[in-house]
Amino acid sequence: MILTDREILTSLEHGQIVIQPVPDPVRFSSTSVDLCLSNVIRVWDFDQVEKTKGEVITPGAEFNYEKFRAKYTKKVVVDKSKGYVLAPDAFVLGWTKELLVLPNHSRIAARVEGKSSLARLGLAVHVTAPTIHAGFEGPIQLEMCNLGPVSIRLTPDMPICQLIFEQTFGTPAKGYSGQFKKQKR
Amino acid sequence: MCRIRAKITRGSMASERVAYFTSAAGETIEVILSPSQVGKDHIVASELARDSGCVLIELPQETSSGDWRVWVKRDQLLAM
């Protein structure tokens, strides 16, 4: 079942969901809460991509995502007054400003989804990976892609995505312990 | 439910209306709605809270700037 705004607020009050900083009341809708963009994004290092042209990634047990990210992307701290202009077809990694904690015992999982106002412009905020598992802790990573024909300015603190919370049926035997637990920007 | 004073124009599709109203902060808010969600001079929204002359409303659709909830001044409300 999807949590309504009242259930989300009650869960926040009881620590069953932790969002820091706590979203302003206008960030809620009847069944979701909007999160905002942090000032850190990672962009592709095209010099490095060019240097290793022809290299093929083989995802799997041997693959180390952190090494991959460090090798091929650069951290950019975005100036709030200028923003970051996402060109058509560009793909960058971003994070929510808010930290999310879904304690395992709360029996709550979530999905991160785009906002219709941004989707209309062509902005996607995830690439087929919207699930936030019970037990998750950290800022939410956003895989942002401009699918539209016009550049989009991304500004720190802009509402960028929405979270939809769902109650799980039963308590998970094991909390989320995947590679992105406590992920950092 | 409540009615908020708004300027209503035709949308790019026959099934759309574009509404403009003023937030408590004085910004012009744009929201695309269906004809059933607007009147000649107003939009229909849900009233959630009141605070010092302002009303927090929830819209039936997300605004162009990405909000579902907006504070408006109480004098923007029309009688039901």
Side-chain angles (χ1 to χ4, degrees), chain A residues 137-149:
Chain A
E137 290 178 45
I140 298 168
Q141 182 174 286
L142 304 166
E143 302 94 17
M144 296 190 291
C145 187
N146 182 0
L147 303 171

Side-chain angles (χ1 to χ4, degrees), chain A residues 3-13 17-36 98 100 115 159 161-165, chain B residues 46 48-49 56-63 66-71:
Chain A
L3 272 60
T4 64
D5 51 354
R6 281 194 260 185
E7 297 304 320
I8 297 169
L9 283 167
T10 303
S11 300
L12 287 169
E13 282 167 19
I17 297 171
V18 178
I19 303 177
Q20 283 296 340
V22 177
D24 193 79
V26 297
R27 299 271 76 92
F28 286 81
S29 75
S30 52
T31 52
S32 71
V33 59
D34 290 345
L35 298 186
C36 299
E98 296 85 357
L100 174 71
K115 292 175 58 58
C161 63
Q162 58 180 327
L163 273 186
I164 296 159
F165 295 96
Chain B
S46 300
L48 297 173
L56 181 64
I57 58 162
E58 178 160 318
L59 298 158
Q61 297 289 337
E62 192 175 307
T63 68
D67 297 320
W68 283 88
R69 295 182 177 185
V70 180
W71 285 98

Side-chain angles (χ1 to χ4, degrees), chain A residues 73-100:
Chain A
T73 67
K74 292 186 290 192
K75 180 178 171 178
V76 173
V77 178
V78 181
D79 184 329
K80 193 172 178 180
S81 62
K82 293 178 184 159
Y84 178 83
V85 176
L86 190 66
D89 297 329
F91 172 70
V92 298
L93 298 175
W95 284 266
T96 58
K97 181 177 82 172
E98 296 85 357
L99 190 86
L100 174 71

Side-chain angles (χ1 to χ4, degrees), chain A residues 16 35-36 39 45 53 78 89 97 113 142 151-152 157 174 177 182:
Chain A
Q16 292 169 313
L35 298 186
C36 299
N39 65 344
D45 181 347
K53 207 170 180 177
V78 181
D89 297 329
K97 181 177 82 172
E113 296 291 359
L142 304 166
S151 295
I152 300 169
D157 296 342
K174 186 182 171 206
S177 56
K182 296 186 180 176

Side-chain angles (χ1 to χ4, degrees), chain B residues 67-80:
Chain B
D67 297 320
W68 283 88
R69 295 182 177 185
V70 180
W71 285 98
V72 296
K73 288 196 172 151
R74 203 176 291 184
D75 60 13
Q76 294 298 302
L77 268 64
L78 301 175
M80 285 295 284

